[in-house]
Amino acid sequence: MAISSVEGPVRDVVVGVDGSEGGYHAMAWAAGEAARLAARLVVVHAYAQPVGLGAVTAPRGPDLRAEAQALVARSRARFERTAPVRTPGASPGDVEFVAVRGDACAVLVHHARSGAVVVVGRRGVGTFDRVPMGSISSAVAALAPGTVVVVPRAARAQEPRRVVVAVDPRDASDRVLEAGFDEADRAGVPLTAAHAADGGMFAGATDGDLGWLERLRAEARADLEARVARWGEKYPAVGWTVETRGGVAPGALLAALRSDDLVVTGGRAASLQVGRVRGGPDRIVRHAPCAVSVVHG
């Protein structure tokens, strides 16, 4: 699969590493993506150096810069060992490994502002991931402009079997559908435009109310099919379907995903205090078994 910017070709694919297996898995995913795009791969490790206050400085501890450089060297060695398993036929671009002083989230967001596709690993959902600021992956996905791809360890690092576009009926923009069709076209895989229709709030309603709900669902599906069909005309090689699932979004979508899918979803602005993609996209980012591409307008 390959991600391209609606404003032009992607020059850099930037991935953050921290020495964990999850970070290395994200690096492998990003390496394949950069090769398919013929883009430069930038592997970044960010480290924070304690700062003293006035004449009082922090106790002398380990040299964090030296440790960061050692971690980057290990990442390079890991990359070189796994290079033979990259996508066959892909065109390799330049590769750069850097250690950067600063907050990891801020460093990755800075790269996103320069037009790079940013790739981050996801370790899973623990207690820390539920606090207001969330994990690095959730924070970067919420705050970075452009495209951020969150890659859990369960995600397949090779081409997906399909691209799933999570459609939000409240979003009249077609930027997510465009990104999804572009992904599917480059990967040569089918696309599913999925949205959930929750009838739970109508429990106990009259037959007349339920009839109205069914008509509303039918109109929404027809509108979505028309939008998808327009993009299908622009990407004739992509086979597409529209899938309406019953249940509460995004839980209904998550239940249908596999590790070899790629989800494309839209991101809405999040405050610096929250640091998460608001609503459904955040839950998809934190719980999907596959790579999730968050496309900001």
Side-chain angles (χ1 to χ4, degrees), residues 127-135 138-139 142 270-277 282:
T127 302
F128 177 70
D129 192 55
R130 296 188 179 97
V131 303
M133 276 305 295
S135 66
S138 286
S271 68
L272 292 174
Q273 289 73 27
V274 175
R276 286 191 185 280
V277 185
D282 178 52

Side-chain angles (χ1 to χ4, degrees), residues 4 13 35 43 84 116 153 157 177 263:
S4 64
V13 174
V43 181
R153 286 196 62 186
L177 281 172
V263 173

Side-chain angles (χ1 to χ4, degrees), residues 11-297:
R11 291 176 297 178
D12 291 342
V13 174
V14 177
V15 59
V17 294
D18 59 2
S20 69
E21 287 301 315
Y24 289 142
H25 184 64
M27 180 177 68
W29 193 98
E33 189 69 354
R36 287 182 286 272
L37 286 168
R40 183 176 65 152
L41 175 67
V42 182
V43 181
V44 176
H45 173 65
Y47 66 98
Q49 185 77 41
V51 178
L53 299 176
V56 181
T57 59
R60 185 170 183 82
D63 185 342
L64 297 185
R65 183 171 182 272
E67 290 185 354
Q69 290 175 332
L71 188 150
V72 168
R74 292 194 298 272
S75 299
R76 182 190 293 271
R78 178 70 168 259
F79 179 85
E80 292 173 350
R81 288 199 306 271
T82 58
V85 301
R86 287 181 224 154
T87 305
S91 300
D94 296 330
V95 183
E96 181 179 357
F97 292 81
V98 294
V100 180
R101 177 176 170 179
D103 174 78
C105 180
V107 168
L108 293 173
V109 169
H110 171 75
H111 279 285
R113 287 177 178 149
S114 301
V117 168
V118 172
V119 180
V120 290
R122 193 194 78 202
R123 295 185 176 182
V125 181
T127 302
F128 177 70
D129 192 55
R130 296 188 179 97
V131 303
M133 276 305 295
S135 66
I136 293 294
S137 59
S138 286
V140 173
L143 299 174
T147 299
V148 176
V149 184
V150 179
V151 183
R153 286 196 62 186
R156 192 171 83 167
Q158 304 300 318
E159 301 287 357
R161 68 179 179 115
R162 65 169 179 170
V163 172
V164 179
V165 179
V167 179
D168 185 345
R170 297 168 295 180
D171 184 2
S173 168
D174 275 359
R175 72 190 191 284
V176 177
L177 281 172
E178 179 181 10
F181 268 95
D182 188 64
E183 293 278 5
D185 186 59
R186 291 177 182 272
V189 299
L191 177 144
T192 297
H195 75 290
D198 179 21
M201 67 181 67
F202 289 88
T206 66
D207 290 342
D209 291 333
L210 294 178
W212 172 81
L213 175 61
E214 289 305 318
R215 289 193 297 273
L216 187 65
R217 285 177 173 173
E219 291 174 1
R221 181 181 177 91
D223 176 70
L224 178 58
E225 286 180 341
R227 291 170 59 191
V228 176
R230 288 195 294 270
W231 284 106
E233 293 175 357
K234 296 181 180 181
Y235 292 88
V238 177
W240 59 267
T241 57
V242 172
E243 184 175 302
T244 302
R245 302 186 62 84
V248 180
L253 172 62
L254 287 168
L257 296 176
R258 294 189 346 196
S259 62
D260 53 358
D261 288 324
L262 170 68
V263 173
V264 179
T265 185
R268 295 190 294 279
S271 68
L272 292 174
Q273 289 73 27
V274 175
R276 286 191 185 280
V277 185
R278 292 174 181 168
D282 178 52
R283 189 174 173 194
I284 294 172
V285 165
R286 292 185 292 129
H287 294 279
C290 56
V292 179
S293 176
V294 181
V295 181
H296 293 274

